[in-house]
Structure formats: C-alpha cells, structure tokens
Amino acid sequence: MSKTRSADCATRREDEWLTSGEAAALTKLSPQTLANHRSRGIGIPYTKLGTGRAGRVRYRRSDVERFLTAGATA
C-alpha cells in the first residue's frame, strides 16, 4: 500500500460519522451524558440530520478523538 493510499484511508476514517452510541463507547460517557452536553452547548461538536426530536445526531470521529486527546472526561 502506498503512502498516499494510507493517508487517504486515514483521512476517510477521521471523517467517519459516529452515532451517539458509538461516540459514547469511545469516550466512556453515557449517551445521556452526551445528550446533556448537547443541550447545554458543551462537549463534542455534533451535527443533527433532520429536524426536531426525530433528527439523528452524528459526531465526526476526528472531533471525538480531539475531545479525548484534550483530556476531557466529562
């Protein structure tokens, strides 16, 4: 595998979208804690797909990893 292809794979992985459950598992926070953070405007940046309560929340893997690297645990 060439270096360019390896870099492309790494970039794609960083841009991967995670569900609240997947982000919770990586951060060792509960999905409810992530929801509380969203409502308070703190924590990991997220995107909401759709509107209202039915909108699906997604986190970029790179944002979750940045949150972990920063040493944030709550």
Side-chain angles (χ1 to χ4, degrees), residues 2 4-5 10-11 15 23-25 37 43-45 47 49 58 66 74:
S2 70
T4 303
R5 187 169 176 164
T11 300
D15 290 338
H37 286 184
I44 306 167
T47 297
L49 308 174
R58 295 293 184 263
R66 191 173 303 114

Side-chain angles (χ1 to χ4, degrees), residues 48-57:
K48 191 168 185 181
L49 308 174
T51 59
R53 294 177 55 93
R56 294 185 178 116
V57 172

Side-chain angles (χ1 to χ4, degrees), residues 11-27:
T11 300
R12 277 181 276 180
R13 183 173 173 158
E14 288 176 358
D15 290 338
E16 178 182 8
W17 290 100
L18 303 174
T19 65
S20 292
E22 292 167 334
L26 286 173
T27 60

